[in-house]
Amino acid sequence: MELLCFTRHCIKFMCKLLLFLLVLCLWIPREVVGRTGTTTISNSTDSYSRPSVLRIGALFTFNSVIGRSARPAIMAAIDDVNANTTILPGTKLEVILHDTNCSGFLGTVEALQLMENDVVVAIGPQSSGIAHIISHVVNELHVPLLSFGATDPSLSSLQHPYFIRTTQNDYFQMHAIADLVEYYRWSEVIAIFVDDDNGRNGVSALGDALAKKRAKISYKAAFTPGATKSDISDLLNGVNLMESRVYVLHVNPDSGLEIFSVAKKLGMMTSGYVWISSDWLPSVLDSLENVDTDSGVMNLLQGVITFRHHTPDTNLKKSFISRLKSLKDKDTKNFNSYALYAYDSVWLAAHALDVFLNEGGNTSFSSDPVLHNRNGSMLHLSSLRVSNGGQQFLQTILRTNFTGISGQIQFDMDKNLIHPAYDILNIGGFGSRRIGYWSNHSGLSVIAPEVLYQKPPNTSTSNQQLYSVIWPGETTKIPRGWVFPNNGKPLRIAVPNRVSYLEFVSKDKNPPGVKGYCIDVFEAAINLLPYPVPRQYILFGNGDTNPDYNDLAYQVSQNVSFKV
Ligand SMILES: *[C@@H]1O[C@H](CO)[C@@H](O)[C@H](O)[C@H]1NC(C)=O
Ligand SMILES: *[C@@H]1O[C@H](CO)[C@@H](O)[C@H](O)[C@H]1NC(C)=O
Ligand SMILES: *[C@@H]1O[C@H](CO)[C@@H](O)[C@H](O)[C@H]1NC(C)=O
Ligand SMILES: *[C@@H]1O[C@H](CO)[C@@H](O)[C@H](O)[C@H]1NC(C)=O
Ligand SMILES: *[C@@H]1O[C@H](CO)[C@@H](O)[C@H](O)[C@H]1NC(C)=O
Ligand SMILES: *[C@@H]1O[C@H](CO)[C@@H](O)[C@H](O)[C@H]1NC(C)=O
Ligand SMILES: *[C@@H]1O[C@H](CO)[C@@H](O)[C@H](O)[C@H]1NC(C)=O
Ligand SMILES: *[C@@H]1O[C@H](CO)[C@@H](O)[C@H](O)[C@H]1NC(C)=O
Ligand SMILES: *[C@@H]1O[C@H](CO)[C@@H](O)[C@H](O)[C@H]1NC(C)=O
């Protein structure tokens, strides 16, 4: 899931600008950040000290679909942890919020400023692009980064040891989409995505997932972040001329609805079309003020299939949601799944810190020799300090196991949250209907994943099941998924220009230019097909002698273009 974040243009200038801004940010000597004090808790036999305050950093774009949901959730979690007497007794968590404001560049600067505060753990960012850059910072400073929003599959690589994803990895979502494509027996899809880290890497994972199912992405339609309506219109007009009618839409929650409004105008939300959306769409819908009355939005989306992060319907989750909804704040009326992941991220940090401190973990910071020796530089990089216990703390986080409001929080060997699962929704009327679930455990199923986890995994094709879908154009008939493209080349059929046995096949003065028994049979077969097949007969041979069939077959195989 993604925010509209930075343009290519911006990336190009980032390196230069970064240096410049760092000077501005760090040049003015700062007061040394206040050291945290310690409290001593006496054991009957022993006494040990715990820091009285620990700082947690939070980094995301406040004014965004994800940020508006996440912010109150993070604040609520901090309050809950501090109010709880069994977790982190004697230690108060303090959160330092920084706004990345939808910019890769600003995000990086904000991250560096955040790190000057000696935070033991950072929460965010929601954007995969920013996460890529910040990962280098947290790796250097040994500060674990708990990202509740960056779903980009490429982020889990070994290159980013301090990056921990507290939401689902899009790797699984792309496998879910591939399973759906296989379930409906489509073989080609067109991927429409934003040309940023999240879009590209997600679509690349989709390509791999489809390849395992012997399907493929026939075309990758990328548009730049911040594309105008007319750019989108051009792009959709282009894909509309192609063969595939199955579109997978992997874009940003902050701009995605625009695509549907253009598609609707172009008549691409009618029968025969298939639209599959990744989880950005429910994130938008869940955070809309009044979906019921906002029928304008729902009108655009009739028949769309969309994936949503699956979180079990526990009492914990229900009471959390009703609590957040009761907040008077106008901005925070509705929530999407990222609120749950953000809330659990804070609790994950708290649980892990508790264990870490119990095990005598070191929460002090010391200067980084790499940064300290930058002689001649005006950047006050030495204000960035390395967390001494960071490495041990990272391991503590990775083996933390607790039940949060988004479900079981536990990591597998690949640092992914266990039990990746999605709800599959079909949008119709004023809302959406769940047509089933996808889980890594059993693929597509109408049974909730929590129930399936009790049974052995079964991803066999015969075990895949979904409820029926109402497709665009109000039809329940499964779309074929492709058409003969309007502007496509007709099927070219080479016909021997024979001089004997003319009853079988021969040249004809009238259209289509050939006649005979073979042509009649072929035409009859074509007419049985439920769709039109544009075709063109091409005579082969000089008309004086019967052409050589071996020669004909050879030339077809060599893609020789025959004269009409
Ligand atoms: C304090 O006491 C508890 C329980 O008696 C024990 O588990 C813990 O290790 C003690 N802490 C230290 C620092 O010895
Ligand atoms: C405090 O946190 C623990 C561990 O998560 C939990 O079991 C307990 O219910 C919490 N207590 C309160 C009062 O919320
Ligand atoms: C965020 O960026 C927008 C546009 O780039 C700007 O108008 C706005 O003032 C910024 N907000 C903050 C809090 O920096
Ligand atoms: C924490 O680590 C630093 C550097 O390794 C060390 O100087 C300091 O004494 C340690 N603090 C504690 C309480 O172990
Ligand atoms: C940095 O400069 C100081 C004095 O200007 C010098 O003593 C020191 O060796 C320099 N360090 C490096 C790493 O160049
Ligand atoms: C994690 O906790 C759950 C229940 O809280 C338990 O069933 C599971 O076995 C635990 N996993 C590990 C690896 O300890
Ligand atoms: C997903 O399923 C595969 C194969 O069944 C398994 O190897 C992998 O560990 C699972 N991943 C998670 C995160 O459950
Ligand atoms: C998986 O499910 C299918 C259909 O429900 C069943 O026929 C098959 O035996 C199951 N396989 C396993 C290994 O349980
Ligand atoms: C075959 O030839 C046609 C026209 O001569 C050309 O458009 C097409 O790309 C060729 N196909 C291959 C596979 O070379």
Side-chain angles (χ1 to χ4, degrees):
M1 182 54 57
E2 197 64 14
L3 256 181
L4 184 61
C5 266
F6 45 79
T7 61
R8 282 177 170 173
H9 180 70
C10 186
I11 301 172
K12 273 190 198 160
F13 282 96
M14 192 141 62
C15 296
K16 283 184 206 161
L17 275 169
L18 176 60
L19 266 167
F20 175 69
L21 224 106
L22 270 176
V23 174
L24 291 183
C25 294
L26 306 174
W27 185 33
I28 306 150
R30 293 159 179 277
E31 272 178 70
V32 175
V33 176
R35 297 283 176 273
T36 53
T38 58
T39 43
T40 302
I41 296 173
S42 297
N43 261 14
S44 51
T45 53
D46 207 346
S47 75
Y48 64 104
S49 62
R50 279 171 166 250
S52 57
V53 174
L54 281 175
R55 295 203 184 90
I56 287 190
L59 191 68
F60 53 95
T61 300
F62 297 170
N63 188 20
S64 66
V65 169
I66 296 176
R68 283 189 296 270
S69 264
R71 187 177 181 167
I74 290 175
M75 301 319 286
I78 296 280
D79 290 347
D80 289 356
V81 170
N82 284 335
N84 191 310
T85 48
T86 58
I87 200 132
L88 289 175
T91 300
K92 192 169 168 294
L93 285 188
E94 205 176 84
V95 68
I96 298 172
L97 294 168
H98 275 249
D99 189 356
T100 53
N101 199 15
C102 213
S103 144
F105 172 56
L106 214 57
T108 310
V109 173
E110 293 287 341
L112 291 170
Q113 289 184 333
L114 182 65
M115 293 304 164
E116 286 179 348
N117 295 313
D118 289 352
V119 295
V120 286
V121 56
I123 291 176
Q126 82 250 47
S127 150
S128 302
I130 297 178
H132 272 283
I133 302 165
I134 294 177
S135 289
H136 295 289
V137 179
V138 295
N139 284 352
E140 180 63 34
L141 303 180
H142 295 182
V143 174
L145 180 67
L146 306 182
S147 182
F148 59 86
T151 53
D152 175 353
S154 72
L155 275 166
S156 44
S157 66
L158 290 175
Q159 193 193 353
H160 305 294
Y162 281 84
F163 171 86
I164 300 168
R165 193 193 323 264
T166 50
T167 181
Q168 306 291 350
N169 184 343
D170 270 347
Y171 171 88
F172 296 105
Q173 180 165 214
M174 295 307 159
H175 276 75
I177 293 175
D179 281 353
L180 186 86
V181 168
E182 184 191 40
Y183 179 76
Y184 290 114
R185 297 163 191 268
W186 300 313
S187 57
E188 289 187 2
V189 306
I190 290 175
I192 301 174
F193 62 102
V194 179
D195 197 3
D196 59 13
D197 287 292
N198 184 58
R200 274 191 302 272
N201 296 324
V203 165
S204 152
L206 175 63
D208 295 346
L210 286 171
K212 283 186 196 156
K213 307 283 177 191
R214 294 166 184 257
K216 66 174 184 180
I217 300 176
S218 59
Y219 184 70
K220 293 184 184 175
F223 59 89
T224 50
T228 63
K229 244 189 161 93
S230 87
D231 292 338
I232 295 174
S233 185
D234 290 349
L235 185 104
L236 291 186
N237 267 318
V239 300
N240 200 17
L241 296 176
M242 294 172 188
E243 204 172 292
S244 176
R245 279 285 184 267
V246 181
Y247 305 123
V248 175
L249 200 53
H250 185 51
V251 297
N252 302 318
D254 295 275
S255 62
L257 287 178
E258 189 91 332
I259 294 173
F260 282 115
S261 96
V262 174
K264 175 101 181 167
K265 275 209 190 84
L266 296 177
M268 294 170 74
M269 300 302 296
T270 53
S271 85
Y273 289 89
V274 176
W275 289 88
I276 301 169
S277 156
S278 61
D279 70 295
W280 66 270
L281 181 58
S283 297
V284 175
L285 296 182
D286 287 349
S287 52
L288 281 182
E289 282 284 311
N290 287 311
V291 176
D292 317 343
T293 55
D294 214 347
S295 59
V297 172
M298 295 318 279
N299 255 338
L300 297 177
L301 304 172
Q302 299 295 306
V304 171
I305 293 191
T306 181
F307 285 76
R308 178 175 67 189
H309 294 138
H310 173 76
T311 51
D313 276 320
T314 54
N315 289 335
L316 217 54
K317 174 172 138 187
K318 281 179 201 146
S319 66
F320 172 73
I321 289 178
S322 63
R323 183 174 138 209
L324 276 199
K325 283 194 173 170
S326 70
L327 292 178
K328 289 282 180 284
D329 194 346
K330 187 176 174 297
D331 267 0
T332 57
K333 263 198 186 122
N334 291 288
F335 296 91
N336 53 42
S337 58
Y338 290 96
L340 309 181
Y341 291 120
Y343 182 87
D344 281 347
S345 300
V346 173
W347 270 96
L348 170 62
H351 278 292
L353 273 173
D354 198 41
V355 172
F356 178 68
L357 292 176
N358 279 342
E359 289 173 353
N362 191 334
T363 54
S364 69
F365 288 76
S366 55
S367 59
D368 186 345
V370 175
L371 297 175
H372 216 71
N373 291 340
R374 296 278 155 208
N375 262 358
S377 164
M378 287 194 295
L379 304 178
H380 284 246
L381 289 175
S382 48
S383 58
L384 297 175
R385 305 195 306 156
V386 178
S387 168
N388 291 320
Q391 216 148 7
Q392 189 197 338
F393 182 42
L394 175 69
Q395 297 313 319
T396 312
I397 291 177
L398 288 175
R399 63 184 158 83
T400 299
N401 177 15
F402 72 101
T403 305
I405 52 173
S406 67
Q408 189 74 20
I409 304 293
Q410 196 189 331
F411 298 94
D412 71 0
M413 301 285 284
D414 300 323
K415 292 201 297 176
N416 287 316
L417 274 184
I418 59 158
H419 297 330
Y422 293 86
D423 297 336
I424 307 173
L425 310 176
N426 178 210
I427 296 177
F430 291 136
S432 58
R433 202 169 55 91
R434 183 164 51 210
I435 56 166
Y437 305 89
W438 180 91
S439 64
N440 188 45
H441 195 73
S442 290
L444 305 170
S445 173
V446 296
I447 301 167
E450 290 72 47
V451 178
L452 294 172
Y453 295 144
Q454 317 296 326
K455 301 177 186 165
N458 188 347
T459 51
S460 75
T461 322
S462 57
N463 199 36
Q464 308 294 298
Q465 195 197 350
L466 291 177
Y467 291 124
S468 67
V469 171
I470 298 173
W471 303 95
E474 298 285 320
T475 173
T476 51
K477 189 166 167 254
I478 298 170
R480 197 171 69 236
W482 60 275
V483 288
F484 272 99
N486 290 337
N487 70 335
K489 301 181 206 86
L491 195 63
R492 298 181 308 145
I493 302 146
V495 177
N497 191 2
R498 293 188 54 89
V499 294
S500 59
Y501 294 107
L502 298 180
E503 303 79 3
F504 284 100
V505 58
S506 68
K507 187 175 171 177
D508 189 14
K509 292 194 294 295
N510 304 315
V514 290
K515 63 179 177 186
Y517 176 73
C518 296
I519 303 297
D520 291 345
V521 171
F522 186 75
E523 285 283 322
I526 289 263
N527 288 334
L528 284 179
L529 294 176
Y531 45 86
V533 180
R535 55 199 177 276
Q536 180 185 24
Y537 293 100
I538 298 165
L539 283 166
F540 176 72
N542 55 19
D544 298 332
T545 54
N546 283 334
D548 178 20
Y549 279 88
N550 286 338
D551 196 22
L552 171 58
Y554 178 72
Q555 292 205 20
V556 168
S557 76
Q558 293 299 301
N559 193 30
V560 171
S561 56
F562 301 100
K563 286 237 173 62
V564 181

